[in-house]
């Protein structure tokens, strides 16, 4: 094994954040590979969302480092982190309800080369093709011209994932993406994540164990700001420390 020399896409080391003396994340180290889907589980208040907040720059670390493709993220601003290739989906979808599926995706298309603002932006072939490709991927190809407010809760979640995917992030982070979804929507979401993993890493926070089983390459169990257990689904499920936290003493 050449573990010592191995380059992880994401290497989090000694990450700590205190809120008024309370350590929501406490000396946490986490390594994610390319083409990996990592799922973070753990009881409410374990610090899962805070870890994503720290990685995407929404919350500043008190200590530790977050290296993404060799670049230190802890000193960067949120928009610089997005630019570095990190996409983050929050628990509640932030889509434009009054716009169509097409328009929501179009507005999210990276427009680095254009000197015009959003309104002047030309719908050239490249953009249309990319929007259609993403819509297909997120099961909304037949709803391109549907107003987003008419979509189901699950479809809204997919649309927001699509709005991130169109920016082609190398690291995609999703906070409880299947909350409130039907069983079949959960299955489709697992399918979607398994489809988009090439040349990318995905971190998902989730409670639904069937869903976790369908997507996780490795599982990290958090408890009180720290890692309680890590490994395959089978490994963490049979870890006595995990069993104790989930089933009580
Ligand atoms: P999880 O996502 O695992 O349920 P969170 O990361 O949301 O947990 O929260 C971990 C702990 O940190 C909780 O006790 C929460 O109240 C606290 N916390 C999170 N963000 C903040 C903040 N910005 N200010 C103060 N406390 C916070
Ligand atoms: Mg949370």
């Amino acid at each position: 094994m050449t573990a010592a020399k191995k380059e992880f896409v994401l290497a989090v080391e000694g990450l700590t954040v205190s809120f008024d003396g309370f350590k929501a994340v406490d000396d946490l180290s986490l390594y994610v590979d390319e083409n990996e889907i990592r799922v973070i589980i753990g009881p409410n208040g374990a610090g899962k969302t805070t870890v994503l907040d720290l990685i995407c720059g929404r919350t500043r670390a008190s200590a530790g480092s977050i290296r993404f493709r060799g670049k230190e993220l802890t000193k960067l601003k949120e928009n610089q982190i997005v630019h570095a290739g990190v996409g983050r989906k929050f628990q509640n979808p932030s889509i434009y309800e009054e716009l169509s599926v097409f328009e929501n995706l179009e507005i999210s298309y990276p427009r680095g080369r254009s000197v015009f603002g959003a309104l002047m932006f030309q719908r050239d072939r490249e953009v249309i093709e990319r929007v259609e490709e993403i819509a297909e991927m997120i099961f909304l190809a037949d709803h391109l011209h549907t107003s987003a407010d008419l979509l189901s809760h699950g479809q809204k979640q997919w649309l927001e994932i699509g709005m991130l995917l169109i920016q082609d992030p190398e690291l995609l982070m999703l906070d409880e993406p299947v909350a409130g979804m039907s069983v079949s929507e959960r299955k489709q979401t697992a399918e979607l994540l398994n489809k988009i993993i090439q040349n990318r890493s995905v971190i998902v926070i989730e409670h639904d164990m069937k869903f976790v089983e369908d997507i996780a390459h490795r599982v990290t169990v958090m408890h009180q700001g720290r890692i309680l257990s890590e490994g395959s689904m089978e490994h963490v499920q049979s870890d006595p420390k995990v069993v104790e936290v989930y089933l009580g003493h």
Side-chain angles (χ1 to χ4, degrees):
M1 290 293 283
T2 55
K5 277 195 271 175
K6 187 167 171 177
E7 275 293 323
F8 293 97
V9 168
L10 181 75
V12 171
E13 289 180 331
L15 191 65
T16 302
V17 67
S18 301
F19 298 119
D20 298 322
F22 166 73
K23 285 184 180 173
V25 174
D26 186 4
D27 196 22
L28 181 123
S29 296
L30 184 76
Y31 304 88
V32 181
D33 276 322
E34 182 164 306
N35 305 324
E36 179 183 350
I37 303 180
R38 172 69 56 92
V39 179
I40 303 179
I41 64 171
N44 282 334
K48 306 178 298 295
T49 297
T50 305
V51 170
L52 299 199
D53 288 342
L54 288 160
I55 295 170
C56 79
R58 170 165 279 223
T59 298
R60 291 276 141 215
S62 312
S65 82
I66 302 169
R67 268 176 297 116
F68 172 65
R69 296 206 173 278
K71 186 184 261 187
E72 181 60 46
L73 298 187
T74 48
K75 307 282 181 292
L76 300 184
K77 298 199 172 78
E78 258 186 293
N79 66 312
Q80 294 173 311
I81 293 171
V82 169
H83 197 72
V86 178
R88 154 91 185 268
K89 187 192 171 308
F90 292 90
Q91 267 171 276
N92 299 315
S94 53
I95 56 174
Y96 301 95
E97 298 266 346
E98 69 282 9
L99 299 183
S100 69
V101 167
F102 185 100
E103 289 163 336
N104 269 284
L105 292 171
E106 183 191 37
I107 231 169
S108 309
Y109 186 86
R111 237 164 290 125
R113 283 151 296 164
S114 174
V115 292
F116 301 109
L119 294 172
M120 294 290 287
F121 183 56
Q122 290 207 320
R123 291 186 179 189
D124 58 38
R125 205 57 239 163
E126 185 188 314
V127 181
I128 295 173
E129 276 170 15
R130 184 80 177 129
V131 166
E132 287 172 350
E133 183 190 348
I134 297 288
E136 181 80 42
M137 226 183 260
I138 59 173
F139 319 107
L140 293 176
D142 296 336
H143 298 279
L144 267 179
H145 302 292
T146 303
S147 179
D149 57 351
L150 300 177
L151 298 175
S152 73
H153 171 75
Q155 289 172 323
K156 287 180 185 177
Q157 300 277 359
W158 291 336
L159 178 55
E160 197 187 2
I161 294 174
M163 291 165 72
L164 291 169
L165 283 178
I166 205 162
Q167 300 175 43
D168 206 16
E170 288 174 88
L171 173 63
L172 181 64
M173 305 194 291
L174 309 170
D175 199 345
E176 304 193 18
V178 301
M181 279 191 186
S182 68
V183 172
S184 66
E185 285 173 334
R186 284 169 195 236
K187 269 198 199 133
Q188 281 178 279
T189 306
E191 223 177 87
L192 168 62
L193 295 186
N194 284 312
K195 215 159 41 185
I196 58 143
I197 192 62
Q198 250 150 40
N199 305 318
R200 184 170 283 140
S201 309
V202 178
I203 301 178
V204 182
I205 295 175
E206 198 42 75
H207 291 291
D208 174 355
M209 285 305 145
K210 174 72 185 86
F211 179 72
V212 175
E213 206 180 311
D214 286 346
I215 62 164
H217 298 167
R218 276 185 283 182
V219 178
T220 297
V221 186
M222 282 189 70
H223 181 52
Q224 298 177 341
R226 291 172 160 268
I227 293 179
L228 186 67
S229 186
E230 194 168 75
S232 66
M233 182 80 170
E234 299 74 50
H235 171 80
V236 301
Q237 271 183 324
S238 58
D239 185 334
K241 294 194 295 286
V242 175
V243 175
E244 189 184 333
V245 161
Y246 274 89
L247 300 179
H249 329 280

